[in-house]
Amino acid sequence: MAEQETGAGAVAALAEANAPVFETLVQMTLDTFERSGLDEETYLLARIAALVAMDASAPSYLLNIGTAAELGVPLEKIQGTLVAIAPVVGSARIVSAARNIGDAFGLELRGEDDQ
């Protein structure tokens, strides 16, 4: 089974792909960190919050949470971000995000039957 790339490695892999969609995504992402004026941790937490609000797919979480992990952003800060935005985005988005994050990282999430 091929190992999945995360973080900057995943962006580089996308950049090397011979596909206009991927090239466009990479171009949209380039330099946004520098232009944001935010520190790396805040930047990534804001991106993760936006993914939740948009009900993003698992690969989007893999890329952004993978990058956060590479930079040493503690899991507690990611969890805290989800708690902070829950009243705004709603419980359904948070549950969906948790499921997609679990799927992205191959985690088994406990269901009601597992308790």
Side-chain angles (χ1 to χ4, degrees):
M1 180 179 215
E3 188 175 325
Q4 289 185 322
E5 297 252 7
T6 61
V11 172
L14 287 176
E16 293 172 8
N18 186 14
V21 173
F22 290 137
E23 291 172 15
T24 300
L25 291 173
V26 170
Q27 289 299 317
M28 288 171 42
T29 304
L30 291 177
D31 301 324
T32 56
F33 167 67
E34 290 81 11
R35 291 183 304 188
S36 75
L38 300 171
D39 62 86
E40 290 177 327
E41 184 176 284
T42 303
Y43 176 78
L44 287 165
L45 292 174
R47 288 178 61 96
I48 292 165
L51 292 174
V52 174
M54 298 300 300
D55 199 21
S57 64
S60 296
Y61 289 105
L62 184 63
L63 177 63
N64 288 277
I65 293 177
T67 301
E70 288 174 7
L71 292 173
V73 177
L75 178 60
E76 294 79 14
K77 289 219 174 172
I78 295 170
Q79 291 171 331
T81 299
L82 298 180
V83 169
I85 66 171
V88 177
V89 300
S91 61
R93 291 279 192 203
I94 298 298
V95 170
S96 178
R99 174 64 60 196
N100 287 332
I101 291 167
D103 289 348
F105 291 94
L107 304 174
E108 290 289 325
L109 299 179
R110 289 180 42 182
E112 291 178 10
D113 298 337
D114 299 331
Q115 293 181 9

